[in-house]
Amino acid sequence: MIIGTILVAVALEIFLVPNHIIDGGIVGISIIVSHLSGIPLSIFLVLLNLPFVILGYKQIGKTFAISTTFSVVLMSIGTSLLHSVQAITIDPLLAAVFGGIVLGIGVGLVIRSGGSLDGTEIVAIVFTKKTPFSVGEIVMFFNLFILASAGFVFSWDRAMYSLIAYFIAFKMIDITIEGLDQSKSVWIISDEYAAIGDSITSRLGRGVTYLKGEGAYTGDEKKVIFSVITRLEEAKLKNIVEELDPRAFLAIGNIHDVKGGRFKKKDIH
């Protein structure tokens, strides 16, 4: 969490803020208000996030509120200390790209540690209980409004650079949280379950669990193969299933975290 928060401060003060490029959420609002008022960014990062931390304490829990408070205060201190440091680049495209990468990695590390640096997600969680929209849709609406505001405050080209930085940061958050070696759950229904299960174990080195299933329409009993693989093994798994039973039912989904059991890869041949 500490490393992530420091990276966010570096992204803001070394890349984005000196080039008038903003992030979404409360951080983006803080950058705009700081520019208009001349008051240091670090102050607004704390003041504007404080109401949402209180809301998060009531809606999500004490541990989340403490972690978020710690992250926000540390981010504020970091931006204050780095404010006088000269920007690495004055090229807005380079600043948007590398600032977005550093920012995304930092935010991802904080989220993985159980904290948050932005109050809009907390608001979205509250709003989603009263509206038909998802948390992601509400956050996206807020951020598009905030990023568009940069066009009026700075310039429209800076708003477009901000959108680039936001998109890159968004993707880097996913990569940081899920990892490059993302895990995937696999469900296979086939009459050749034994052969497919043995092949997954021997050729991929992954453990297999057989579950009992029953067709709702036919009432026939079926064996369901369950396994967990990595993203890089997905193509090979599909080849195995296609080779042994082209008519097999195959479903693959993303998994954010895997712990326990026998997920460790075995020797393959």
Side-chain angles (χ1 to χ4, degrees), residues 80-260:
S80 179
L81 294 176
L82 292 171
H83 184 66
S84 59
V85 178
Q86 186 175 0
I88 291 179
T89 178
I90 57 173
D91 185 313
L93 181 58
L94 290 176
V97 172
F98 287 95
I101 292 173
V102 176
L103 182 70
I105 294 173
V107 173
L109 288 174
V110 172
I111 293 175
R112 284 190 63 164
S113 303
S116 175
L117 291 169
D118 199 294
T120 53
E121 291 185 3
I122 301 173
V123 175
I125 291 172
V126 176
F127 268 91
T128 194
K129 297 177 181 179
K130 303 177 181 180
T131 66
F133 302 106
S134 67
V135 172
E137 289 171 338
I138 295 172
V139 170
M140 182 63 70
F141 172 79
F142 283 146
N143 286 335
L144 288 177
F145 177 77
I146 293 166
L147 292 170
S149 300
F152 296 98
V153 177
F154 300 114
S155 62
W156 289 108
D157 66 328
R158 300 296 159 163
M160 289 185 279
Y161 284 125
S162 297
L163 191 60
I164 293 173
Y166 173 75
F167 177 77
I168 293 174
F170 182 81
K171 301 303 292 185
M172 289 305 301
I173 290 171
D174 282 346
I175 292 174
T176 304
I177 293 174
E178 298 176 0
L180 289 170
D181 203 24
Q182 182 183 357
S183 299
K184 291 180 174 286
S185 61
V186 178
W187 304 82
I188 306 168
I189 302 176
S190 170
D191 293 332
E192 303 296 331
Y193 66 90
I196 294 174
D198 290 342
S199 293
I200 292 174
T201 301
S202 61
R203 293 166 63 179
L204 291 183
R206 295 299 178 187
V208 169
T209 299
Y210 297 122
L211 307 174
K212 291 183 179 180
E214 180 180 336
Y217 180 74
T218 63
D220 295 338
E221 291 188 358
K222 294 285 186 179
K223 286 286 188 178
V224 180
I225 303 171
F226 174 74
S227 185
V228 176
I229 62 173
T230 66
R231 178 173 56 86
L232 301 178
E233 296 165 337
E234 182 178 346
K236 190 172 182 179
L237 175 97
K238 290 179 178 178
N239 289 335
I240 291 173
V241 176
E242 179 68 22
E243 174 187 324
L244 298 174
D245 185 3
R247 299 180 61 185
F249 172 82
L250 172 63
I252 301 176
N254 294 330
I255 298 179
H256 294 294
D257 200 6
V258 178
K259 293 183 179 179

Side-chain angles (χ1 to χ4, degrees), residues 24-104:
I26 301 302
V27 173
I29 296 175
S30 299
I31 294 173
I32 292 175
V33 177
S34 173
H35 175 77
L36 293 175
S37 65
I39 299 174
L41 172 63
S42 57
I43 295 177
F44 289 110
L45 289 175
V46 174
L47 289 180
L48 296 182
N49 269 300
L50 185 59
F52 302 107
V53 172
I54 297 173
L55 183 62
Y57 175 82
K58 296 179 179 179
Q59 296 291 330
I60 302 176
K62 181 179 179 181
T63 302
F64 174 81
I66 293 174
S67 299
T68 300
T69 301
F70 174 78
S71 300
V72 169
V73 171
L74 185 59
M75 175 177 62
S76 175
I77 294 172
T79 55
S80 179
L81 294 176
L82 292 171
H83 184 66
S84 59
V85 178
Q86 186 175 0
I88 291 179
T89 178
I90 57 173
D91 185 313
L93 181 58
L94 290 176
V97 172
F98 287 95
I101 292 173
V102 176
L103 182 70

